[in-house]
Amino acid sequence: MSKAAPEISVLISYYNDRAFLRQSIQAVLSQTFTDFELILINHATQDDCREIARSFDDPRIVHVDLEFNNGAGGGFIFETLIGKARGKYIKLFCADDVMKSDCLEKLHSYLASNHDKDIVFGDARLVDKNGSPKKLLWSERFADFSFEDDNLSLLKKFFDKKSFLPLPACLFKRTAADGLKIDKSLIIEFDQSLWIQMMMRGANFGFTRDVVCDYRVHKLQSSTVRVDNRVDEYDFYESIMRAKLFYGIKDIVQLERLLGGYEKKFALSEKDVDFFPFATACYYLEKHENLSCKIAGYEYLHDCMEDPTARQKIKERFNFTVADFRLLYKNSRAFNPSMYLEYIGIKGGIAMILKKLYEKLFGQPYAKIL
């Protein structure tokens, strides 16, 4: 006879986390709310984390060994979890973070008491690698974080390229994740892609001011490490994919909130859902300040102009042609130096200046001098 399904499925994936894993697992097993399963996913760790994980003797633990490492692939981990999880609620967590003893109780109580909500976020205490508290809570660290945000406000912040929701402090209904598009290439932006899709599909978000976990900030985190600006580069590319998620908007109220009146130039109604991505792409190129979004807009409109059927439909409806597309991206200044420097950093900016000086002084193509 199979065991009854637990109320909550908790996920911890681990890879070379021996310094933190034991404490993280123990904190879950010591929760005041006990009706859960703990799914421990071994992401082909190279240290003794597998032995640490299996040293715990608790029937609520489910062990999963992945055959190979997918490069911190949040999508692969999430897909594995969804395939194994039996709980009504899903709790994503990190091997280097630590739950407060009443974390699951507080978050579950919120959702059980607020039936209209599908996902809840609590607050988190920031700690260093040794677990010593830092000065700020998560809610104080991110200026855009607000306990009062409604769904449209949250979606608008994400559209404006802001990331601020604490994954380790959330709990959501399993049904909120059904049918989500799982991009297996995303790392830094993966959890944000989940929240965006949930909001676009109408999932209701809620917040509690309870501090439910310790969020560990240390140099080995993929979200905080800075080595030759590599994380900034990853985020730049992933942000293009995140921007494309908004082409999936189907609700005219959501579109109006995101475009802030820009959609009126296209006279769109709720019946024009097929043209929502076109209006969004035009907004990206003409109005959005983020370079990743501008690139996403360029790519979408370029593909439309290359497709005879799409090109004709857009021309008939909006009198928008290839010439208009060229004028739009010509005036968008998507690749002006000040925006580009935002992503290449000081070292990259110096390299670019030296390259120009080299070519001007010597009158020949730049040879690598750095």
Side-chain angles (χ1 to χ4, degrees):
M1 179 181 296
S2 61
K3 294 185 295 185
E7 187 77 352
I8 300 175
S9 292
V10 181
L11 163 72
I12 294 180
S13 69
Y14 58 88
Y15 174 76
N16 294 355
D17 291 298
R18 70 179 318 275
F20 314 116
L21 183 60
R22 188 179 300 279
Q23 183 183 14
S24 186
I25 293 175
Q26 186 59 62
V28 177
L29 298 179
S30 301
Q31 289 292 297
T32 55
F33 183 93
T34 59
D35 187 11
F36 64 85
E37 64 179 351
L38 172 58
I39 301 176
L40 298 176
I41 299 182
N42 169 22
H43 202 182
T45 189
Q46 296 177 332
D47 61 9
D48 61 348
C49 274
R50 186 178 187 276
E51 288 70 30
I52 293 173
R54 291 175 181 269
S55 70
F56 289 89
D57 183 17
D58 193 301
R60 295 172 296 181
I61 296 178
V62 178
H63 294 284
V64 180
D65 292 311
L66 297 186
E67 185 177 353
F68 55 88
N69 188 277
N70 296 288
F76 285 99
I77 298 295
F78 187 79
E79 194 170 67
T80 301
L81 165 69
I82 293 300
K84 297 288 185 180
R86 299 180 300 129
K88 178 181 178 181
Y89 300 96
I90 301 293
K91 178 78 185 82
L92 303 178
F93 209 62
C94 303
D96 53 352
D97 297 330
V98 180
M99 288 187 189
K100 300 294 187 183
S101 62
D102 57 357
C103 172
L104 296 183
E105 181 180 354
K106 290 287 182 63
L107 297 178
H108 180 268
S109 176
Y110 178 92
L111 289 180
S113 302
N114 295 272
H115 300 290
D116 61 320
K117 303 298 184 183
D118 300 288
I119 179 170
V120 59
F121 286 87
D123 208 345
R125 183 179 68 162
L126 304 182
V127 300
D128 64 18
K129 66 178 183 179
N130 299 316
S132 298
K134 291 179 172 289
K135 294 181 179 180
L136 300 177
L137 296 176
W138 180 284
S139 58
E140 297 167 334
R141 178 189 185 192
F142 290 88
D144 295 303
F145 185 91
S146 172
F147 291 101
E148 282 72 46
D149 275 337
D150 59 21
N151 278 24
L152 286 177
S153 297
L154 288 170
L155 195 60
K156 175 61 174 173
K157 287 180 178 179
F158 278 111
F159 187 71
D160 290 339
K161 186 54 182 72
K162 297 172 181 177
S163 301
F164 50 92
L165 294 180
L167 178 144
C170 82
L171 180 72
F172 57 86
K173 294 178 181 177
R174 167 67 179 267
T175 53
D178 289 343
L180 294 183
K181 178 183 177 182
I182 306 302
D183 189 327
K184 299 177 183 62
S185 69
L186 299 182
I187 301 174
I188 299 171
E189 296 283 352
F190 176 71
D191 58 321
Q192 316 299 327
S193 75
L194 296 182
W195 315 146
I196 290 169
Q197 291 184 76
M198 287 181 183
M199 278 183 271
M200 284 168 42
R201 299 195 320 177
N204 286 318
F205 282 52
F207 297 93
T208 171
R209 293 180 181 274
D210 294 316
V211 176
V212 296
C213 67
D214 285 346
Y215 178 80
R216 201 184 304 267
V217 180
H218 58 94
K219 66 180 182 180
L220 297 181
Q221 284 176 303
S222 62
S223 60
T224 59
V225 67
R226 291 291 183 269
V227 181
D228 292 333
N229 297 317
R230 296 303 294 171
V231 170
D232 290 328
E233 292 177 16
Y234 302 154
D235 188 46
F236 170 66
Y237 289 118
E238 292 188 13
S239 292
I240 297 174
M241 305 311 298
R242 184 171 90 161
K244 291 180 179 181
L245 289 174
F246 290 98
Y247 295 145
I249 290 285
K250 304 294 184 185
D251 184 285
I252 187 65
V253 175
Q254 290 180 346
L255 185 73
E256 291 171 348
R257 181 61 176 271
L258 300 187
L259 303 192
Y262 181 83
E263 76 289 341
K264 293 179 181 177
K265 68 187 297 183
F266 303 105
L268 297 174
S269 70
E270 64 275 3
K271 299 178 181 180
D272 299 313
V273 65
D274 290 344
F275 291 112
F276 287 5
F278 170 76
T280 303
C282 289
Y283 180 91
Y284 279 155
L285 265 182
E286 187 171 7
K287 297 293 185 178
H288 211 291
E289 297 182 355
N290 182 264
L291 180 55
S292 298
C293 293
K294 288 182 178 293
I295 292 174
Y298 175 89
E299 288 184 355
Y300 182 87
L301 293 175
H302 172 272
D303 290 347
C304 287
M305 294 299 101
E306 288 296 299
D307 183 314
T309 302
R311 184 173 65 242
Q312 184 62 28
K313 287 183 178 180
I314 291 172
K315 183 178 185 299
E316 291 175 355
R317 176 64 188 271
F318 306 110
N319 195 29
F320 185 95
T321 66
V322 173
D324 296 299
F325 168 51
R326 292 189 63 190
L327 184 63
L328 190 62
Y329 74 73
K330 177 182 177 182
N331 292 333
S332 73
R333 296 189 61 78
F335 300 100
N336 71 71
S338 63
M339 292 187 71
Y340 185 59
L341 283 173
E342 176 184 347
Y343 294 97
I344 64 176
I346 295 176
K347 181 178 178 181
I350 293 173
M352 183 173 66
I353 293 171
L354 291 177
K355 173 183 175 181
K356 295 297 184 182
L357 288 174
Y358 180 92
E359 292 175 346
K360 186 173 183 178
L361 290 173
F362 296 100
Q364 62 184 29
Y366 169 75
K368 188 172 182 181
I369 57 177
L370 287 182

